[in-house]
Amino acid sequence: MGRIYTYIGEVVVSMNPYKQTQLYGKDVIEQYQGRELYERPPHLYAVADAAYKAMKRRAKDTCIVISGESGAGKTEASKYIMQYIAAITNPSQREEVERVKNVLLKSNCVLEAFGNAKTNRNDNSSRFGKYMDINFDFKGDPTGGHINNYLLEKSRILHQQPGERNFHSFYQLLLGASDAQLASLHLCRDPAAYRFTSEGASNNLLASDRSNFKDVADAMKVIGFSPEEIDSVYKILATILHLGNVSFVAEGDAMAIENLELVSQLAALTSTEPESLLRALLYRAVATGSGEVIEKGHSAKEANYARDACAKAVYERLFCWIVGRINTVIEVKNYDARLHGKNTVIAVLDIYGFEIFDSNSFEQFCINYCNEKLQQLFIELILRQEQEEYQREGIEWQHIEYFNNQIIVDLVEQPHKGIISILDEACLTGGQVTDAMFLDSMNTKLGKHPHYTSRKLCATDKSMEFGRDFRIKHYAGNVTYSVEGFIDKNKDTLFQDFKRLMYNSTDPVLREMWPEGEVSITEVTKRPLTAATLFKNSMVALVENLASKEPYYVRCIKPNDQKSPLLFDAERCRHQVEYLGLLENVRVRRAGFAYRQPYDRFLLRYKMTCEYTWPNHLMPTDQEATRALIDQHGFQDDVAYGHTKIFIRMPQTLFCLEQERAQLIPIIVLLLQKAWRGALARRRCRYLRAIYTIMGHYKRHKVKTYLLELVRRFQGVRSMADYGKGVEWPDPPAVLAQFQENSKLLFRRWRARQIVKNIPPSDMGQIQAKVAAMEVLQGLRKDWGCQRNWGRDYLSSVDENPVMAAQFARRVQALRDKVHFGSVLFSCHVRKINRFNKSRDRAILVTDQHLYKLEPRKQYKVMRTLPLSMVTGVSVTSCQDQLMVFHTQNHDDLVICFHKMQPEEDNRVGELVGVLVDHFKTTKRELQVRVSDCIQLSLRGRKRLVAVEMRHELAFPDFGKSRDGFVLYCPRR
């Protein structure tokens, strides 16, 4: 069950199961990806993978030709092939490649809606031929593509066979669009309300029409159609439906439109003027020989013909515009083979199958001619060329007879003698030429042709009618054609008035479809080619294109005409197998060889599997080297040696060679990688050596340049007044950055030494104290008096203390006699506050042993003596005030503020701090110096805070009480 595929060589034979099967999907794709053709059961995926591998391995353009009768499953087969190619490409998920894949896949949905229809043989029959080129880059990822469409069956717009219906797009619009959208298009939801869809409205509606409408709209958005373009497409569909309902009535000698409201609706949908549209429907503009333009009114027959021709032409132009719009999105852009590698192609041809209806007209004639051309290509490539190749290569071969349909192809397309030439001649003949006259001309010129007959030539055959029917003996069977409509359909006449009308539309999409509408009516133009000639030319070009590629065939067979998954009509299938040439194909393949390749290319692919041919053989010819390779593997009984090629009979032999090659490729790759990486490493090592040599010389050059510049700048600093303080250091190389920092440190020390040498010994103590103050106050206090001369013992100075200097000197002498201190470190008048919030004027004396608080008014009587060993630290503020707090070990701190100084704005806080810090360093003790605008202190163990506040009205500083301690009020200067 479920076995619907088989092989004849590399030709896949596919049977339509008429039901969904579990033969597809991601898991099945993985089973066939990268496998050889015969490693897995027959499948469409296998032939798709074979075509992809041939394209990727040998950079060879390939094509997959899908053929068979209508309803045999060609369209579904093409979709599965496209899905497989999309699934196995772009493993790195590149965004642009994914976009191309999505557009290629979504294009199927759109083209099926506008180009497929429900027929008696197939619910989704392709009513056009589709040839798609998929372009790949050197990595095997799709980079774009191009779609060609052939012979859309536009006559289906007007009439359908009993039991069939119009194109899917009309029913999807009527059943799937919203009520608001239908109202904007002046449509109702009933297909029976419109002449063009009424024939298929009774019993031919598909359950999927509604959902397919949304799918098609989404697909158009993914492809890149703008919302305005999608709206234009639906307006054009509505235009065609309304055109079918336009009817004409005679008013005297002239024609008029019976339902005039349709004219305004059509004008709105086509974005044209109602008057211009009405004139195009009722009149035809004709240019006289003198250049004058006159309007000729239509007869009833002409008006109906013009209306129908316009409807057919509008739909055909719409379909071609959609194909062209898709092509602009998926075309390969900015591809340069020099940069991106060779651009290879896989082509997929899904074209209408052979058709034999109860009534066969011009469309069936063209379709069957197309199938004759494709059958001829199949015979040419698969049967005739293969047998000729065996004979050319000297392979023993018994010729197999087959039917060559070249005689039928010539019957249709031969210049001057073929049916198309006779039809064109009839169309170009002046006067009124009828279809019956065309039939008589064929009877005269083709009467003796073995594959042509008519009732006139075979009077006893009553299955044909006189003056109407002719019969061609096609390779697929006899087909009787009715000549009615051949002349009109071949001329494909559309009055220029409609072309100008559409070109002058304000809808850019509709205007783009009719470029020839720009031509003036008085301008003489070349007669256009007929429909049959255009189709013949496109078929010739298609076959030439396919012949240039490596072909892979999918032959589709329908098991019955009832579309039933349970019936198998053996006679029906036998007939298809016979006319598809599959029997001859089987006989050729059984007697022939599955694989052939020139010796040089065979060796190029498999030489690594033999020790005598790897890496290069030393034998006289490639043929002998190939023979040695085959003999080593023991395949000599399964091959034949031609003049230039080796022929392998069984695919299994090729698989064995491929498997051994696949096992050796990783080893060869590793060897190549090792050699290449070694070469890269050696080259990089040479580069690095050169780089380091250059870098070494350059670094030495930079160091030398820097040192010379350094010497130049600093060679005269000894004679400078500031000993080089203002000399700017040059920027050092990175390697000498630390050297420059060390040099700066040495230079500063040398400069300091030079300066210190010139300082008198009497000033050294002051210098040391200032340095000590700078170390603890630099950056923490704005002004600490470093710019002035420090007097230290200010109370002994007559300038500072002119009245009481002598009394202070006697007190100092008395203390020296008593405690024998060494020197006075500092003395000054202060303002102090005690624990009782009392503020008094006092003086302090700091010796090298004690800190004394003195009473100036009592001849500097000692009020408090504090050994310096009891002082743990001092606190000052960051402002210009003269507040200072001495912290003690017994938590009874001393709070003072310098005042009565000469001059008054002297800043002596830094001086006392520097003297104390320098003294403590000398005695190897540590003095903590804190800078804070809110100083915490202890008075007899009680915690207090002291802060500073500036006031304009004060003449001198004084202490006041605050909530949590004291405030020093300082005059603002």
Side-chain angles (χ1 to χ4, degrees):
M1 295 294 292
R3 295 183 178 178
I4 62 173
Y5 300 114
T6 189
Y7 292 140
I8 302 174
E10 293 182 349
V11 176
V12 176
V13 181
S14 170
M15 183 76 70
N16 190 344
Y18 288 119
K19 65 177 181 179
Q20 295 294 327
T21 64
Q22 302 299 318
L23 295 177
Y24 314 99
K26 183 178 179 181
D27 295 339
V28 182
I29 288 174
E30 291 176 352
Q31 295 177 21
Y32 285 86
Q33 184 175 357
R35 300 287 186 174
E36 296 300 326
L37 193 64
Y38 293 92
E39 284 189 72
R40 290 282 183 266
H43 202 289
L44 286 173
Y45 290 164
V47 74
D49 194 76
Y52 179 75
K53 281 187 299 191
M55 179 273 300
K56 191 173 181 181
R57 285 176 180 174
R58 305 197 297 272
K60 176 76 174 176
D61 290 346
T62 60
C63 63
I64 302 175
V65 180
I66 307 171
S67 59
E69 284 192 16
S70 177
K74 300 184 299 300
T75 300
E76 291 300 311
S78 71
K79 288 195 287 188
Y80 285 128
I81 289 172
M82 292 286 294
Q83 290 170 4
Y84 180 83
I85 293 173
I88 65 172
T89 54
N90 195 29
S92 59
Q93 295 295 304
R94 287 190 294 163
E95 182 178 350
E96 175 61 18
V97 176
E98 285 300 305
R99 182 192 69 82
V100 171
K101 285 164 53 175
N102 287 336
V103 172
L104 289 172
L105 293 176
K106 292 295 183 182
S107 66
N108 284 327
C109 175
V110 177
L111 294 179
E112 283 184 17
F114 289 88
N116 289 22
K118 182 178 184 295
T119 67
N120 292 320
R121 296 187 174 190
N122 187 358
D123 287 346
N124 189 32
S125 177
S126 296
R127 307 318 300 160
F128 72 105
K130 181 177 71 173
Y131 172 83
M132 177 182 289
D133 272 335
I134 309 172
N135 298 84
F136 294 84
D137 60 16
F138 72 99
K139 293 183 289 186
D141 291 332
T143 57
H146 187 84
I147 300 172
N148 288 328
N149 60 293
Y150 300 98
L151 192 67
L152 178 71
E153 188 190 20
K154 59 184 178 181
S155 63
R156 181 169 291 272
I157 294 291
L158 308 180
H159 303 290
Q160 301 93 45
Q161 300 271 359
E164 297 187 357
R165 74 175 196 174
N166 216 319
F167 292 101
H168 294 326
S169 55
F170 295 111
Y171 304 94
Q172 291 174 4
L173 174 63
L174 294 175
L175 300 177
S178 64
D179 293 336
Q181 190 172 9
L182 288 179
S184 68
L185 300 173
H186 311 290
L187 295 174
C188 66
R189 203 170 289 282
D190 182 15
Y194 303 98
R195 183 168 68 91
F196 289 161
T197 55
S198 59
E199 294 181 15
S202 57
N203 58 354
N204 277 330
L205 301 183
L206 298 178
S208 59
D209 282 332
R210 188 182 301 273
S211 60
N212 285 345
F213 176 80
K214 184 177 184 305
D215 293 340
V216 171
D218 293 341
M220 293 173 77
K221 292 176 183 176
V222 171
I223 291 171
F225 287 79
S226 67
E228 294 77 15
E229 290 173 333
I230 296 175
D231 289 342
S232 294
V233 168
Y234 293 141
K235 286 181 180 179
I236 294 171
L237 289 178
T239 298
I240 296 170
L241 291 173
H242 287 307
L243 265 177
N245 285 3
V246 172
S247 55
F248 302 93
V249 293
E251 292 185 355
D253 294 335
M255 299 299 300
I257 293 180
E258 184 176 4
N259 35 7
L260 278 174
E261 70 277 3
L262 282 179
V263 175
S264 59
Q265 295 175 1
L266 285 168
L269 291 172
T270 58
S271 300
T272 57
E273 294 294 331
E275 296 80 6
S276 300
L277 176 61
L278 183 63
R279 193 179 304 111
L281 288 170
L282 297 178
Y283 299 93
R284 176 187 177 191
V286 180
T288 64
S290 61
E292 182 183 357
V293 178
I294 60 174
E295 284 190 344
K296 177 178 179 296
H298 287 319
S299 65
K301 180 179 179 182
E302 289 173 341
N304 285 301
Y305 175 84
R307 176 202 60 202
D308 292 346
C310 180
K312 291 190 297 180
V314 168
Y315 194 81
E316 182 186 37
R317 298 289 178 105
L318 171 63
F319 185 76
C320 292
W321 179 85
I322 290 173
V323 173
R325 185 69 180 81
I326 295 173
N327 284 335
T328 60
V329 175
I330 62 175
E331 67 179 352
V332 180
K333 302 177 180 67
N334 302 322
Y335 195 93
D336 188 344
R338 294 172 297 178
L339 299 177
H340 306 114
K342 184 179 179 182
N343 186 348
T344 48
V345 169
I346 291 181
V348 179
L349 177 65
D350 170 20
I351 206 160
Y352 14 61
F354 196 86
E355 292 185 349
I356 307 177
F357 295 145
D358 294 335
S359 176
N360 302 289
S361 186
F362 179 77
E363 289 79 13
Q364 283 68 45
F365 171 76
C366 293
I367 288 172
N368 293 339
Y369 160 62
C370 167
N371 280 269
E372 291 285 357
K373 291 289 289 184
L374 294 177
Q375 177 67 9
Q376 181 192 28
L377 179 67
F378 178 76
I379 292 170
E380 180 77 15
L381 296 179
I382 301 299
L383 302 178
R384 187 174 65 82
Q385 283 189 5
E386 183 158 351
Q387 296 195 76
E388 289 179 355
E389 183 178 36
Y390 294 145
Q391 296 172 2
R392 186 170 58 251
E393 289 290 328
I395 304 297
E396 292 186 8
W397 178 259
Q398 183 178 357
H399 184 74
I400 295 175
E401 295 296 332
Y402 58 87
F403 172 69
N404 190 337
N405 70 333
Q406 182 64 48
I407 187 174
I408 303 176
V409 173
D410 290 340
L411 168 66
V412 176
E413 70 176 19
Q414 189 174 13
H416 310 298
K417 297 180 181 179
I419 294 176
I420 292 178
S421 294
I422 298 172
L423 179 58
D424 286 351
E425 183 180 343
C427 292
L428 298 177
T429 302
Q432 187 68 27
V433 179
T434 64
D435 295 321
M437 294 169 64
F438 160 62
L439 179 60
D440 289 339
S441 180
M442 285 198 297
N443 290 335
T444 302
K445 296 180 179 181
L446 303 174
K448 296 182 180 180
H449 197 286
H451 289 268
Y452 173 86
T453 187
S454 67
R455 181 67 185 273
K456 182 177 180 180
L457 300 176
C458 184
T460 58
D461 189 349
K462 297 183 179 181
S463 62
M464 294 183 287
E465 287 192 15
F466 279 110
R468 189 193 74 179
D469 296 341
F470 69 94
R471 181 176 296 155
I472 296 178
K473 297 178 182 179
H474 287 284
Y475 77 95
N478 297 339
V479 182
T480 301
Y481 298 99
S482 170
V483 296
E484 292 179 352
F486 262 61
I487 297 291
D488 287 340
K489 291 177 181 179
N490 190 46
K491 287 181 178 179
D492 198 18
T493 304
L494 178 66
F495 295 140
Q496 193 72 17
D497 305 73
F498 287 108
K499 298 178 182 179
R500 284 193 296 274
L501 175 72
M502 298 302 176
Y503 177 76
N504 291 318
S505 168
T506 58
D507 185 337
V509 173
L510 194 59
R511 180 185 176 90
E512 184 182 345
M513 296 177 188
W514 303 86
E516 66 270 39
E518 186 180 8
V519 179
S520 171
I521 188 172
T522 58
E523 185 175 339
V524 178
T525 58
K526 185 179 179 180
R527 184 188 297 272
L529 295 176
T530 62
T533 298
L534 287 172
F535 185 70
K536 181 190 74 172
N537 294 342
S538 65
M539 286 298 103
V540 171
L542 173 64
V543 170
E544 289 178 354
N545 193 358
L546 294 175
S548 68
K549 297 175 172 59
E550 185 171 318
Y552 293 83
Y553 282 91
V554 178
R555 299 298 221 179
C556 298
I557 294 177
K558 56 189 301 184
N560 58 76
D561 289 326
Q562 288 73 40
K563 297 182 279 192
S564 169
L566 303 177
L567 297 179
F568 183 83
D569 188 336
E571 181 60 27
R572 189 82 175 80
C573 294
R574 185 199 63 77
H575 177 67
Q576 293 174 77
V577 168
E578 180 179 348
Y579 77 69
L580 287 174
L582 298 183
L583 294 176
E584 293 89 345
N585 194 11
V586 169
R587 289 196 292 269
V588 170
R589 278 296 177 180
R590 279 183 176 177
F593 298 86
Y595 177 84
R596 75 287 317 275
Q597 194 70 269
Y599 293 121
D600 56 341
R601 296 194 61 176
F602 181 83
L603 286 173
L604 187 64
R605 184 161 186 82
Y606 300 112
K607 63 181 180 179
M608 70 286 298
T609 64
C610 175
E611 58 182 328
Y612 304 113
T613 56
W614 178 255
N616 293 301
H617 69 84
L618 301 176
M619 301 177 192
T621 63
D622 289 342
Q623 181 177 357
E624 293 186 31
T626 302
R627 192 183 296 272
L629 188 152
I630 293 296
D631 291 345
Q632 179 172 321
H633 289 86
F635 297 145
Q636 55 268 27
D637 295 334
D638 195 44
V639 301
Y641 300 99
H643 300 311
T644 62
K645 294 182 180 180
I646 180 175
F647 293 80
I648 299 177
R649 188 179 304 278
M650 300 299 294
Q652 288 75 9
T653 300
L654 194 64
F655 298 157
C656 292
L657 291 173
E658 283 289 339
Q659 288 175 353
E660 188 165 347
R661 180 182 182 274
Q663 293 172 359
L664 292 172
I665 285 295
I667 301 173
I668 297 172
V669 169
L670 287 176
L671 178 65
L672 294 175
Q673 287 178 341
K674 181 177 71 172
W676 178 240
R677 286 171 180 164
L680 289 179
R682 287 188 291 274
R683 185 174 67 180
R684 186 170 184 272
C685 183
R686 290 194 299 270
Y687 287 168
L688 288 176
R689 284 178 180 171
I691 289 169
Y692 285 132
T693 301
I694 295 171
M695 286 173 59
H697 284 80
Y698 181 65
K699 286 179 179 178
R700 287 193 290 274
H701 166 73
K702 289 185 69 175
V703 169
K704 183 178 179 181
T705 303
Y706 167 76
L707 292 177
L708 291 174
E709 179 66 16
L710 199 63
V711 170
R712 186 188 68 79
R713 292 189 184 190
F714 285 89
Q715 61 185 357
V717 294
R718 288 182 181 273
S719 58
M720 295 180 184
D722 61 353
Y723 295 105
K725 181 181 179 181
V727 176
E728 184 179 355
W729 288 73
D731 294 331
V735 71
L736 294 181
Q738 188 60 42
F739 167 80
Q740 178 155 301
E741 292 301 319
N742 295 337
S743 298
K744 286 181 178 181
L745 178 61
L746 292 173
F747 175 73
R748 286 194 293 268
R749 289 184 177 181
W750 172 84
R751 183 174 169 276
R753 182 175 180 81
Q754 295 301 113
I755 295 172
V756 168
K757 283 196 307 183
N758 297 327
I759 298 174
S762 59
D763 292 341
M764 286 304 298
Q766 181 180 167
I767 295 299
Q768 292 175 354
K770 285 185 176 182
V771 171
M774 182 182 68
E775 289 177 350
V776 296
L777 296 178
Q778 184 71 35
L780 300 177
R781 185 176 171 90
K782 296 179 181 178
D783 184 15
W784 45 276
C786 66
Q787 301 296 329
R788 64 179 182 82
N789 184 42
W790 287 0
R792 293 199 180 193
D793 190 4
Y794 293 100
L795 296 181
S796 298
S797 171
V798 177
D799 295 333
E800 178 87 13
N801 193 15
V803 178
M804 302 177 68
Q807 294 179 15
F808 177 73
R810 287 194 292 270
R811 178 61 65 187
V812 171
Q813 186 60 43
L815 289 174
R816 180 180 280 116
D817 294 340
K818 183 178 178 179
V819 299
H820 306 290
F821 61 84
S823 61
V824 174
L825 300 181
F826 187 85
S827 66
C828 186
H829 287 114
V830 299
R831 186 82 174 168
K832 73 94 182 180
I833 189 169
N834 61 19
R835 69 181 185 276
F836 303 111
N837 302 324
K838 302 294 184 179
S839 180
R840 297 286 187 271
D841 284 341
R842 294 287 186 266
I844 63 167
L845 170 64
V846 182
T847 69
D848 57 357
Q849 295 181 9
H850 296 86
L851 186 155
Y852 299 97
K853 182 174 70 174
L854 308 176
E855 170 60 79
R857 290 177 296 179
K858 295 181 180 181
Q859 299 179 350
Y860 293 103
K861 178 182 176 180
V862 176
M863 303 298 293
R864 181 181 177 184
T865 301
L866 182 64
L868 288 184
S869 60
M870 294 290 291
V871 177
T872 60
V874 295
S875 294
V876 298
T877 68
S878 63
C879 303
Q880 294 182 353
D881 58 83
Q882 300 300 301
L883 176 64
M884 192 166 183
V885 178
F886 294 90
H887 301 285
T888 63
Q889 291 180 357
N890 57 2
H891 303 292
D892 188 12
D893 299 342
L894 176 62
V895 184
I896 65 169
C897 175
F898 301 122
H899 81 139
K900 296 182 181 180
M901 299 176 291
Q902 294 297 328
E904 291 184 1
E905 64 272 8
D906 251 6
N907 193 331
R908 295 179 180 174
V909 170
E911 182 177 353
L912 180 53
V913 170
V915 168
L916 288 175
V917 171
D918 183 55
H919 176 71
F920 271 64
K921 282 185 178 179
T922 304
T923 58
K924 293 182 172 54
R925 287 182 295 164
E926 183 179 0
L927 179 69
Q928 293 184 354
V929 180
R930 290 188 289 272
V931 180
S932 175
D933 291 336
C934 186
I935 301 173
Q936 186 176 13
L937 55 93
S938 296
L939 293 178
R940 297 291 177 91
R942 187 176 179 184
K943 301 291 185 181
R944 299 292 183 88
L945 294 176
V946 61
V948 179
E949 186 176 326
M950 298 293 179
R951 290 190 176 180
H952 290 285
E953 65 274 11
L954 294 178
F956 55 86
D958 196 5
F959 286 98
K961 185 179 179 182
S962 68
R963 185 176 62 180
D964 48 6
F966 313 111
V967 179
L968 174 63
Y969 299 105
C970 294
R972 186 183 296 275
R973 294 185 176 86

